[in-house]
Amino acid sequence: MSSRGSSSRITDEEINELVSKLQSLLPESRRRNIGRASASKLLKETCSYIKSLHRDVDDLSDRLSALMATMDANSPQADIIRSLLRS
Amino acid sequence: MDSENSACGNPNPNPTLGPSKLMLAFRFLRALSLVHRTTPASSRTCRGRRIERAAYASMAYSAGTGRGWSRAVLRRLHHRARRRAVAPRRLSTTAGNRAEALRQLVPGGAGMDYCTLLEETADYIKCLSMQVELMQGIVDSSSSYGP
């Protein structure tokens, strides 16, 4: 990262803080894999993590769609959902 | 929307409160039941795409309009049919355009200064992982009751 001197509103320190906050949001396995990473490595890992989350949403949407097809109004899972929505 | 001013100095008004998991669950389940009622039983793929949109919509609504990424998601969802091209905002030269790949992954990321982008990324990841947990939970609880 380039340093911009004291005239900059946003300090490198603040940026470092934000970047390390991102590290703490990574799941345990990813954090272990990168260890003490540079900012750019961390950003790459963050990108990879976001992509895998997008894939999860995609995959889970498909599975929910399949489950919905088999769901009927009087099944136990419908009751669970109904009670969740009531509370 | 003025992300240039919401740089690192402005604190998040709700630093400890994020979107409530319960509200997220409530919104998503409501959206799911709407999809169930209104999508023909035959179109599994169509239903899957509608469920995916419901996931991002309930995520964004739960996060509220105080976040750049949630506003961008809602804009995208509402303008889906019209596909309006949004002119990219001019980036501050001191921020440069670092983290190009990240900008493409975080909704609204293209127009943000670097600092805001990092903050938005953190919030986006928290909400996204919460949504995934929720969906996984629904799948798991539905699957454990056999027909």
Side-chain angles (χ1 to χ4, degrees), chain A residues 14-75:
Chain A
E14 281 172 314
I15 295 216
N16 286 337
E17 242 179 76
L18 287 174
V19 172
S20 62
K21 184 173 154 191
L22 284 180
Q23 178 154 23
S24 68
L25 290 175
L26 291 175
E28 186 68 42
S29 51
R30 284 179 185 265
R31 247 180 301 161
R32 257 197 316 251
N33 286 342
I34 62 175
R36 296 183 67 81
S38 67
S40 77
K41 197 172 174 193
L42 191 49
L43 289 180
K44 259 194 188 160
E45 193 62 32
T46 301
C47 286
S48 162
Y49 181 43
I50 294 179
K51 277 190 233 173
S52 87
L53 287 172
H54 285 166
R55 278 196 302 271
D56 287 343
V57 173
D58 192 1
D59 175 55
L60 288 165
S61 298
D62 275 340
R63 289 167 73 183
L64 283 171
S65 177
L67 278 170
M68 222 178 246
T70 63
M71 209 164 80
D72 81 84
N74 299 320
S75 61

Side-chain angles (χ1 to χ4, degrees), chain B residues 87-140:
Chain B
R89 303 186 56 194
R90 294 225 318 187
L91 296 171
S92 150
T93 49
T94 54
N97 36 12
R98 279 183 279 186
E100 195 56 47
L102 188 59
R103 290 179 186 283
Q104 291 178 8
L105 289 170
V106 176
M112 295 173 187
D113 63 84
Y114 187 57
C115 204
T116 306
L117 176 66
L118 293 178
E119 288 179 324
E120 291 277 331
T121 301
D123 194 64
Y124 183 57
I125 286 180
K126 278 188 228 164
C127 295
L128 198 48
S129 57
M130 215 187 283
Q131 180 68 38
V132 166
E133 247 181 70
L134 172 63
M135 292 170 85
Q136 186 69 61
I138 295 172
V139 167
D140 288 345

